[in-house]
Amino acid sequence: MDLGQARHWENQSTVNEFLLLGYQEHPALLFTAFLTTYMAILLGNGLIVVVTTWDSALHTPMYFFLRSLSGLEMCYTSVTLPKMMANLASGDPSISLPACTSQVFFLLFLGGAECYLLAVMAYDRYLAICLPLHYMTVMSHRVQMGLVSGSFAVSLPMQLVQIGLIFSLPFCGSNKIDHFFCDIPPVLSLACADLYANELVTYTDSILFVIAPFVLILASYARITRTILRLPSGTGRQKAFSTCSSHLTVVSLFYGSAMLVYLRPQTSDSVKVDKVLSLLYTVIIPLCNPLIYTLRNREVKASIGRLLSRKHSFEVGTG
């Protein structure tokens, strides 16, 4: 952009709020659907946090990482759904520039942390299946804490850089976003400046937080598969695969949607597709995770049964 263009944009009125127009039709129905889904997400993931904390039989590295993932999912979905419901209830689609900035930042920060946390969970399964004799020695509580903390720490600086670049741009003219919440593609579409640096950082971010951890997951499961196929017992192979199936399902859903949103080429239909995909990775996946991990995990189901029976016994005793 030359000096004349820069002065032209400086003379334009700067946008200080956005209008989210992704849910103009059927607001009452959407509000009910979002509220029901949000409560289910909090209940399902909260139950996993409570059960894996309460039951000493689940005080293992695998369930520590699952508890961390469930807590992250509750935070992740809380970035968007409460504001979406507030806009629907009030009929006011506006979101202030600071609120939009916060929304994009926490989506990026928590999303990046989740990518690496899923990679950590794959590494945990690799150690448990491929190196069982050294598993508890290597995966100490200190290492567990370090891996979870590192997943968040590695995401923070890159997302701060990206947020700084995005919201230092001038937003002039239209402030209407055809989306459910503030996200990178719809926000950048309103900027009146050269986006080369932003696009470069976005692709770098995608490589670091989508491609890199995904490659780590693939490498872990390649070693796991090779080890499992060498097991002499069919029952042992089935048991080993079953411990990985829930995590693989979650990885497929999460990375599939993330790659479709951030790595596919932009077309004339991108806005509509992005709106649908955004609900997949911000609403549907956090809703499905507790179902995937409870319905396919005998230990979690047994622990929930013990917790409920203990609560029932307590209520009968006090009654």
Side-chain angles (χ1 to χ4, degrees):
M1 178 182 294
D2 60 32
L3 184 59
Q5 288 177 307
R7 287 175 177 172
H8 169 73
W9 287 121
E10 286 174 2
N11 291 331
Q12 304 300 310
S13 58
T14 302
V15 171
N16 54 25
E17 73 172 12
F18 298 103
L19 300 179
L20 299 170
L21 306 180
Y23 33 70
Q24 292 180 305
E25 299 179 0
H26 311 296
L29 180 62
L30 283 174
F31 177 83
T32 303
F34 287 152
L35 177 61
T36 303
T37 303
Y38 186 51
M39 296 303 295
I41 290 170
L42 294 182
L43 179 62
N45 286 284
L47 181 61
I48 288 179
V49 171
V50 170
V51 167
T52 55
T53 303
W54 167 78
D55 194 340
S56 58
L58 301 182
H59 289 179
T60 63
M62 181 175 75
Y63 293 109
F64 173 77
F65 295 131
L66 176 57
R67 179 165 64 250
S68 301
L69 178 65
S70 294
L72 188 153
E73 292 284 32
M74 288 192 288
C75 295
Y76 187 70
T77 196
S78 295
V79 174
T80 57
L81 273 177
K83 179 59 178 174
M84 290 161 63
M85 290 186 292
N87 286 355
L88 286 166
S90 65
D92 178 10
S94 65
I95 182 171
S96 68
L97 183 60
C100 186
T101 305
S102 298
Q103 202 169 69
V104 176
F105 168 72
F106 282 107
L107 279 175
L108 293 173
F109 171 57
L110 295 174
E114 182 164 353
C115 288
Y116 274 98
L117 184 56
L118 290 172
V120 165
M121 295 174 75
Y123 174 66
D124 172 71
R125 292 298 81 209
Y126 158 73
L127 289 177
I129 294 173
C130 300
L131 302 171
L133 298 179
H134 303 282
Y135 177 58
M136 294 309 299
T137 302
V138 175
M139 195 57 72
S140 64
H141 183 67
R142 182 177 179 180
V143 171
Q144 296 169 44
M145 292 293 294
L147 288 171
V148 172
S149 301
S151 298
F152 287 91
V154 74
S155 180
L156 182 61
M158 186 65 182
Q159 309 315 337
L160 286 174
V161 169
Q162 180 143 237
I163 284 296
L165 283 173
I166 293 172
F167 290 95
S168 63
L169 294 170
F171 296 99
C172 315
S174 175
N175 66 340
K176 296 177 181 179
I177 299 177
D178 188 13
H179 210 275
F180 295 106
F181 52 85
C182 289
D183 201 359
I184 295 176
V187 169
L188 287 180
S189 69
L190 300 182
C192 44
D194 183 6
L195 301 180
Y196 176 77
N198 297 88
E199 292 171 351
L200 181 61
V201 171
T202 298
Y203 278 110
T204 302
D205 188 78
S206 298
I207 292 171
L208 292 176
F209 294 98
V210 179
I211 300 299
F214 187 64
V215 169
L216 294 175
I217 291 172
L218 290 179
S220 296
Y221 276 108
R223 297 291 299 274
I224 289 170
T225 302
R226 187 169 65 179
T227 300
I228 290 176
L229 292 177
R230 290 176 177 175
L231 294 176
S233 168
T235 303
R237 288 195 293 270
Q238 183 178 0
K239 183 178 179 180
F241 273 122
S242 68
T243 64
C244 303
S245 60
S246 296
H247 180 253
L248 279 171
T249 303
V250 171
V251 166
S252 300
L253 288 172
F254 183 81
Y255 277 95
S257 60
M259 288 180 180
L260 283 173
V261 171
Y262 293 107
L263 296 181
R264 66 183 176 82
Q266 296 296 301
T267 65
S268 57
D269 295 326
S270 292
V271 173
K272 295 180 181 179
V273 176
D274 286 346
K275 286 167 60 177
V276 175
L277 291 175
S278 70
L279 293 181
L280 176 63
Y281 66 81
T282 59
V283 177
I284 304 302
I285 293 176
L287 176 64
C288 290
N289 282 359
L291 297 175
I292 293 169
Y293 278 108
T294 55
L295 295 179
R296 305 183 70 172
N297 190 301
R298 294 179 181 179
E299 291 179 318
V300 173
K301 287 191 288 186
S303 181
I304 292 174
R306 290 192 295 270
L307 179 63
L308 294 177
S309 63
R310 180 175 179 177
K311 180 182 178 182
H312 177 71
S313 300
F314 176 79
E315 290 175 348
V316 171
T318 55

